[in-house]
Amino acid sequence: MNKIDQRVRFTVVQLLRWLVAGDYAAIERFTLGVRLSVSLIQQAIAGYGRTFAMPPPSALDQLDVVEIDGSRPKAWSVRVDLWTVEEGRSDLSLECTLIDRPGDLLAAEIDNLHVL
């Protein structure tokens, strides 16, 4: 796994940790509230009605990552299936845009939380 791949994974894992912990304010701070605010995240989660859980490590090896052509700085569109205590792998996904920047984590914008 190259350095960019590691940073994509690290950033997704951090977003998932906050989501599982219900720390939507941390997500909003990290993403600067671009696209989805705390209240919109809460609405999507409450509407789903299940308890989120961290996916198994093997699921994180299967992230759907597409580099966005011509983006400056480099950016990636990422989709990750979410997991719940009740279902395991659910039909809900997190879609985000990750943007290159210095540091261990990439900048992030949450594009959507929705049922596939």
Side-chain angles (χ1 to χ4, degrees), residues 14-15 17-29 38 41:
Q14 183 58 64
L15 289 169
R17 284 181 182 146
W18 285 324
L19 191 64
V20 167
D23 194 349
Y24 311 134
I27 295 171
E28 184 180 63
R29 281 190 306 274
V38 167
I41 295 169

Side-chain angles (χ1 to χ4, degrees), residues 78-104:
V78 179
R79 187 187 60 77
V80 58
D81 295 330
L82 298 178
W83 290 64
T84 68
V85 171
E86 297 83 1
E87 307 170 292
R89 182 179 173 193
S90 74
D91 58 356
L92 193 68
S93 69
L94 168 70
E95 295 178 0
C96 58
T97 300
L98 302 181
I99 304 155
D100 198 13
R101 69 173 181 190
D104 292 334

Side-chain angles (χ1 to χ4, degrees), residues 35-54:
R35 295 196 181 99
L36 288 183
S37 65
V38 167
S39 63
L40 290 174
I41 295 169
Q42 286 173 327
Q43 286 174 16
I45 299 303
Y48 197 67
R50 292 179 181 79
T51 307
F52 288 97
M54 285 300 290

